[in-house]
Amino acid sequence: MKIANVDIFVLKTSLDHPFAFSQGWVHQRSATLVRISTDNGLVGWGEAFAQGLEPPEIAAAAIEHAFKPLVMGCNPLDTGVLWHKMYAHSRDFGRKGTIVSAISAIDIALWDIAGQFYSQPIYQLLGGAQRTRIKPYATGFYRVKGKHEASRLAKEALDHRKAGFCAMKVKLGFGIDDDMEVMSAINSALDDPSIELMVDTNHAYGRSEALTLGRALEAYNIRWYEEPVVPEDIASYQALRAQLNIPIAGGENEHTHYGFNQLFQLQALDIAQPDVGSCGGITAMQYITAMAHANGVQVNPHVWGAAIAQAASLQVIAALPVTHHSLFPTQPILEYDQSFHPFRQQLIDSAWAINDGFVDIPDSPGLGISVNMDVITEFCTE
Ligand code: CA
């Protein structure tokens, strides 16, 4: 079996209602998708991470010019061989950021092909399912004005609960006073200690403000405090871990086992959050997970993007062992972004429904999805 073609699709659409996280206003939705076809008729899909401010054309150019020529004609079952080939080839201009996201997209597509070739879901190829369903958490609470939206965000929390969510992550980083106003309003509105809350500032603050916010948040039962400072500032991650009683999470802006190695060696994280669309794909996720376990760090993947990245995340999380085993261990939870994304659920034929507070993990071969080409045609820009 040989790779016969690599097609790249850049999807974009502008939002009627832009929204903000701490780093800026999101005006459009975008995705970089890759479709790998084999000479015997198999087709695998992959997706590169594209956060709200990231132009999807960068990953597309990296795939087209740097990686497609490397994998054409190769055996798609050589997931590890091709990962190292792509990483080594791009080391001098890559190692982080969108170049690794481009590798991730190809890697995911190769695993999709492998699953179909062996007629197994990807999690089976990763060692089997540690779980067949996963509790989702609602990521939301974006701003539409910028500040002073506490009462609207409290109502949003009630909407998430009504939709079946038992956990939610609140976007903070809009000034500590505003952040705490929001937390207080949400907590009062929910008035239910069984609802788990997480917070995420998207590295809005420096160490001192992050510590002040963290101390104020200790009044609430927070499952984790995500990206309190910029990813480069590992010393502040260490300091916050030492000084706060809330678990510190991060890693969505880190890449490969080489990048995570530093975070683990320096004991900077309680919870590592690699994103399958940017950490180096399913292959790198395995390496990162093994290293996290060896360093006593929990892994709870970051999940973003359109339906293909979500599907790949579900497969990875199915196979993810818990770090700290017990009769009642802390299980990973599924990030389920609730912001408007027209080519997320419409892109595949089956949506991720919440049943009884859980999302079932697809058990058909590969990623277990069927991609709707009409949606790609509608939103594809090149
Ligand atoms: Ca985040």
Side-chain angles (χ1 to χ4, degrees), residues 169 171 200 202 226-227 252 302:
K169 188 165 79 188
K171 289 287 180 188
D200 182 4
N202 292 97
E226 180 169 323
E227 285 206 300
E252 71 181 79
H302 178 265

Side-chain angles (χ1 to χ4, degrees), residues 12-335:
K12 282 200 287 196
T13 185
S14 30
L15 289 169
D16 292 338
H17 304 288
F19 60 85
F21 68 124
S22 77
Q23 299 306 301
W25 288 93
V26 177
H27 294 279
Q28 70 169 17
R29 284 304 198 184
S30 56
T32 314
L33 307 182
V34 62
R35 179 179 65 189
I36 297 183
S37 314
T38 67
D39 60 352
N40 58 347
L42 293 180
V43 171
W45 284 92
E47 178 178 346
F49 180 80
Q51 60 107 296
L53 308 179
E54 181 174 355
E57 293 87 353
I58 306 175
I63 295 167
E64 175 70 33
H65 299 292
F67 300 124
K68 179 177 175 179
L70 290 182
V71 302
M72 284 293 288
C74 296
N75 180 353
L77 302 179
D78 282 346
T79 49
V81 170
L82 294 179
W83 193 93
H84 288 281
K85 187 178 183 182
M86 290 188 285
Y87 187 84
H89 173 84
S90 60
R91 176 174 270 123
D92 290 358
F93 57 90
R95 295 188 290 120
K96 305 260 188 197
T98 307
I99 295 293
V100 182
S101 300
I103 293 176
S104 308
I106 291 178
D107 181 79
I108 292 167
L110 295 178
W111 280 93
D112 189 20
I113 289 169
Q116 293 171 60
F117 181 80
Y118 293 113
S119 297
Q120 297 290 335
I122 290 170
Y123 66 69
Q124 199 63 55
L125 307 185
L126 299 174
Q130 301 279 353
R131 57 196 63 80
T132 57
R133 58 181 199 159
I134 177 165
K135 191 164 96 168
Y137 73 84
T139 289
F141 305 97
Y142 300 93
R143 307 303 195 264
V144 295
K145 289 191 294 182
K147 277 179 176 278
H148 310 301
E149 301 186 55
S151 58
R152 184 184 66 77
L153 296 170
K155 287 195 194 86
E156 183 182 328
L158 296 176
D159 289 342
H160 293 320
R161 186 173 65 180
K162 207 169 157 192
F165 288 101
C166 306
M168 20 192 120
K169 188 165 79 188
V170 184
K171 289 287 180 188
L172 299 180
F174 296 83
I176 292 173
D177 290 346
D178 196 83
D179 290 347
M180 291 314 296
E181 219 174 277
V182 167
M183 289 307 292
S184 170
I186 289 172
N187 204 57
S188 303
L190 288 171
D191 191 27
D192 182 353
S194 73
I195 304 277
E196 283 190 301
L197 290 177
M198 288 77 71
V199 298
D200 182 4
T201 67
N202 292 97
H203 52 74
Y205 301 126
R207 187 189 304 189
S208 169
E209 285 175 293
L211 183 59
T212 302
L213 176 64
R215 290 212 166 114
L217 290 168
E218 283 176 332
Y220 302 102
N221 184 20
I222 304 291
R223 176 160 170 165
W224 71 63
Y225 180 7
E226 180 169 323
E227 285 206 300
V229 292
V230 290
E232 299 93 330
D233 188 4
I234 298 176
S236 289
Y237 268 94
Q238 291 175 296
L240 292 164
R241 256 199 95 205
Q243 292 177 76
L244 292 173
N245 291 323
I246 306 172
I248 300 296
E252 71 181 79
N253 287 305
E254 193 50 80
H255 306 83
T256 81
H257 45 299
Y258 300 110
F260 276 89
N261 185 37
Q262 281 188 306
L263 293 169
F264 296 150
Q265 281 186 339
L266 297 170
Q267 295 285 305
L269 296 175
D270 293 288
I271 298 162
Q273 299 175 298
D275 187 299
V276 73
S278 68
C279 76
I282 293 169
T283 300
M285 185 71 86
Q286 288 183 290
Y287 302 154
I288 294 163
T289 299
M291 291 177 69
H293 281 221
N295 286 279
V297 178
Q298 289 180 51
V299 179
N300 201 124
H302 178 265
V303 180
W304 200 252
I308 292 162
Q310 289 180 312
S313 300
L314 280 171
Q315 293 296 314
V316 160
I317 295 171
L320 187 71
V322 295
T323 302
H324 309 296
H325 175 262
S326 72
L327 275 178
F328 306 104
T330 302
Q331 295 288 347
I333 51 179
L334 173 72
E335 177 161 31

